[in-house]
Amino acid sequence: EPEVTQTPSHQVTQMGQEVILRCVPISNHLYFYWYRQILGQKVEFLVSFYNNEISEKSEIFDDQFSVERPDGSNFTLKIRSTKLEDSAMYFCASSDTPREYNEQFFGPGTRLTVL
Amino acid sequence: QKEVEQNSGPLSVPEGAIASLNCTYSDRVSQSFFWYRQYSGKSPELIMSIYSNGDKEDGRFTAQLNKASQYVSLLIRDSQPSDSATYLCAVNGVNTGFQKLVFGTGTRLLVSP
């Protein structure tokens, strides 16, 4: 069964460093998302992406964050200058329709630890 | 007012019993409702989606939606120890172009053998 994959599974970085989290969405899906979950808290929407542009972003997704689809399969989240509070699980998701029946399928996540 | 509310639990049920998980939401124009299962340290796994008032059944799972009461629930019949997880309720709607899922904090379910 097709699934979303993410790399790395765990990333440790120093505060102020740049990180890139990678995702390979399900192959026939066109809509891509990033969510994060701080330990013990709820899953929070960061950004949605379609047709090579951001379609919606949350207030969390500030100028330190960017997304890109560098080729036909990868979808990346970059954090330019990490802060301690960026430590969280980051989940990539994809779906094949943005409309009301928008079932989003999540990848296994990347655990980001900022020291 | 929280957008999506769930009792954090834990909800403890014996093996073989029915587990009933509840969720309320504040945005009246929410259109679609989803239940995800999340094991500790893992990602959310979609188990049910529901869009219309009433019941939707899939195997041991039944989702129930009442838009007038802004209430959605998940019933798990014949609960198994492997069902022990956190169940996340998520909603989306026209206000967000159906892009953004808004999650509740989840209800932790414990099924004892």
Side-chain angles (χ1 to χ4, degrees):
Chain A
E1 188 169 324
E3 58 183 20
V4 177
T5 59
Q6 291 185 244
T7 54
S9 57
H10 191 188
Q11 174 91 47
V12 181
T13 190
Q14 295 290 325
M15 189 169 55
Q17 295 297 303
E18 175 183 287
V19 295
I20 297 177
L21 310 183
R22 292 182 167 79
C23 168
V24 178
I26 294 172
S27 62
N28 64 334
H29 286 186
L30 299 176
Y31 302 88
F32 314 123
Y33 312 87
W34 284 101
Y35 291 81
R36 80 171 186 190
Q37 186 176 32
I38 295 171
L39 186 64
Q41 297 187 25
K42 63 182 180 180
V43 177
E44 299 175 290
F45 171 82
L46 291 178
V47 66
S48 58
F49 190 88
Y50 169 69
N51 199 25
N52 282 319
E53 61 183 29
I54 290 172
S55 45
E56 187 178 355
K57 60 183 181 180
S58 72
E59 58 274 10
I60 302 169
F61 194 88
D62 61 22
D63 291 345
Q64 294 299 313
F65 291 87
S66 62
V67 290
E68 190 179 35
R69 184 147 165 88
D71 54 44
S73 58
N74 289 284
F75 178 51
T76 62
L77 174 69
K78 180 192 291 186
I79 310 175
R80 261 181 276 281
S81 178
T82 50
K83 307 182 185 75
L84 295 175
E85 54 264 36
D86 294 328
S87 295
M89 282 289 287
Y90 287 81
F91 297 112
C92 174
S94 69
S95 69
D96 59 0
T97 171
R99 301 310 301 168
E100 52 267 32
Y101 310 121
N102 180 12
E103 293 185 338
Q104 297 184 20
F105 297 91
F106 283 68
T110 292
R111 180 174 299 282
L112 177 65
T113 302
V114 182
L115 302 176
Chain B
Q1 184 183 11
K2 292 181 184 175
E3 293 179 271
V4 179
E5 290 204 52
Q6 297 181 256
N7 188 318
S8 61
L11 172 66
S12 296
V13 301
E15 183 175 358
I18 295 175
S20 177
L21 304 158
N22 304 314
C23 171
T24 58
Y25 58 94
S26 60
D27 188 354
R28 287 195 171 273
V29 298
S30 295
Q31 298 276 65
S32 306
F33 308 87
F34 306 90
W35 284 99
Y36 285 82
R37 178 173 61 199
Q38 187 176 33
Y39 293 111
S40 181
K42 302 296 184 183
S43 63
E45 174 192 3
L46 180 66
I47 53 173
M48 288 286 286
S49 56
I50 187 166
Y51 313 108
S52 304
N53 280 327
D55 294 0
K56 178 182 176 183
E57 187 174 318
D58 183 1
R60 294 187 298 114
F61 300 99
T62 298
Q64 299 173 317
L65 175 60
N66 183 326
K67 289 189 178 181
S69 300
Q70 296 176 237
Y71 177 91
V72 59
S73 65
L74 179 70
L75 300 178
I76 306 175
R77 287 181 300 281
D78 188 24
S79 295
Q80 301 297 309
S82 57
D83 294 326
S84 297
T86 297
Y87 289 80
L88 310 178
C89 174
V91 307
N92 73 6
V94 66
N95 283 349
T96 60
F98 302 105
Q99 295 289 304
K100 167 184 170 183
L101 286 179
V102 178
F103 283 86
T105 53
T107 297
R108 187 170 164 227
L109 174 66
L110 296 175
V111 182
S112 53

